[in-house]
C-alpha cells in the first residue's frame, strides 16, 4: 500500500507539477485538476482515440439529490457516488472519482503485461471451471479473452475497457450470438470490432436491433430500460466505471424515441453492420 501511495505521488508530481500531492483530493478545484491532468496526457500524445477532453453531463432534476457524470477521453465514464445537494457539488464529486481512477490508471500494475495476462487468464479459467488449455482455444470464451488481452499488450486498463465495453454491449444486444450462428470465429469478430469506436453510428445500429426486439416482444424495451437505469444507479453509488450501463440506457432511450417519433421505422437490414462483410474473412 505504501508503494502504491508513493507511485501515486510520483504520478501527480509528473502530471500536475504545480499541485501538492498531499492536497490533491482535498482541493475543491478538482474539476480544473482533472482537466489539467488530461490536457497533460494529450500533450504527451496519449493513445486514446476519442477526440476532445473531459465532458460533464448533469441529469435533469428539480431538486436534490443531484447527479453528474463525467466522460474521459477514450470513453470511460464516472459519476458522483455521494448524495449531493447542488449541481456544482455533484460535478466536483464526479470529477474526484474520475481523477482518482485516472491517476490509478497510470500505475504500472494497471498496464497489460505478460504477467497480468497470465494472472487474468488463470482467474478466468477458475471462474468458468475450465482448464488452461481453453486459453489457447479461440473458440472458447477464455480463449477469446486471452486473445483480446494479447492483442492489447501494453495498454492501460481504461484503454482496454473501451474495447471491452463494445463487446459487453454486443453480447447484451444479442449480436455476438448472431455472429456465432453465421460461423464467424471469435478471433474474426474481435479483429473486426477492434477497428471501431463506440460512436453514434454503432449506437444507432444497436437501437435498431432493439426496435426489432420490441416488435417481436412488445414491452421489452421499457423493461430493459428500467433494468439499465437501476444498474446505472447502483454502479454509480458504488463508484464504479459506468460506461457500459450508461450506453445501455442511451441505446434503449434512442430506440424508444425512434419508435414514438416514427411508428414504422425503416428496416434495420438497410442500416445494420453487414454480417456478410464481417464473415468475408472465410
Amino acid at each position: 500500500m505504501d508503494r502504491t501511495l508513493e507511485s501515486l505521488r510520483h504520478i501527480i508530481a509528473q502530471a500536475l507539477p504545480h499541485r501538492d500531492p498531499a492536497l490533491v483530493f482535498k482541493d475543491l478545484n478538482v474539476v480544473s485538476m482533472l482537466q489539467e491532468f488530461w490536457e497533460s496526457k494529450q500533450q504527451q500524445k496519449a493513445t486514446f482515440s476519442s477526440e476532445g477532453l473531459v465532458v460533464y453531463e448533469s441529469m435533469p432534476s428539480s431538486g436534490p439529490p443531484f447527479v453528474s457524470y463525467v466522460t474521459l477521453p477514450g470513453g470511460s465514464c464516472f459519476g458522483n457516488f455521494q448524495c449531493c445537494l447542488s449541481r456544482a457539488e455533484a460535478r466536483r464529486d464526479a470529477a474526484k472519482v474520475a481523477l482518482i481512477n485516472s491517476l490509478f490508471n497510470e500505475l504500472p500494475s494497471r498496464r497489460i503485461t505478460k504477467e497480468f495476462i497470465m494472472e487474468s487468464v488463470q482467474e478466468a479459467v477458475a471462474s468458468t471451471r475450465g482448464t488452461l488449455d481453453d486459453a489457447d482455444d479461440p473458440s472458447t470464451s477464455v480463449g477469446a479473452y486471452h486473445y483480446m488481452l494479447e492483442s492489447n499488450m501494453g495498454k492501460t486498463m481504461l484503454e482496454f475497457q473501451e474495447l471491452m465495453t463494445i463487446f459487453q454491449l454486443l453480447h447484451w444486444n444479442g449480436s455476438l450470438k448472431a455472429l456465432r450462428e453465421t460461423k464467424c470465429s471469435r478471433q474474426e469478430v474481435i479483429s473486426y470490432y477492434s477497428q471501431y469506436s463506440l460512436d453514434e453510428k454503432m449506437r444507432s445500429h444497436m437501437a435498431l436491433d432493439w426496435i426489432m426486439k420490441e416488435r417481436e416482444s412488445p414491452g421489452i424495451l421499457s423493461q430493459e430500460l428500467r433494468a439499465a437505469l437501476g444498474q446505472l444507479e447502483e454502479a454509480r453509488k458504488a463508484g464504479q466505471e459506468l460506461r457500459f450501463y450508461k450506453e445501455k440506457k442511451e441505446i434503449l432511450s434512442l430506440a424508444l424515441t425512434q419508435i414514438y417519433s416514427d411508428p414504422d421505422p425503416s428496416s434495420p437490414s438497410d442500416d445494420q453492420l453487414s454480417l456478410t462483410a464481417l464473415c468475408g474473412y472465410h
Side-chain angles (χ1 to χ4, degrees), residues 1-11 103-104 107-109:
M1 183 64 179
D2 291 339
R3 296 175 67 180
T4 299
L5 290 174
E6 185 60 37
S7 297
L8 277 176
R9 292 192 186 100
H10 179 67
I11 291 167
L103 291 170
F104 267 95
L107 293 173
S109 61

Side-chain angles (χ1 to χ4, degrees), residues 4-35:
T4 299
L5 290 174
E6 185 60 37
S7 297
L8 277 176
R9 292 192 186 100
H10 179 67
I11 291 167
I12 293 170
Q14 285 187 316
L16 305 170
H18 305 299
R19 307 283 186 176
D20 183 347
L23 301 176
V24 161
F25 300 120
K26 298 179 182 178
D27 196 326
L28 291 178
N29 206 17
V30 67
V31 171
S32 65
M33 281 192 287
L34 181 63
Q35 185 75 19

Side-chain angles (χ1 to χ4, degrees), residues 79-92:
N80 60 296
F81 69 92
Q82 298 189 71
C83 181
C84 298
L85 301 181
S86 70
R87 288 185 174 85
E89 183 186 358
R91 183 182 172 106
R92 285 195 299 269

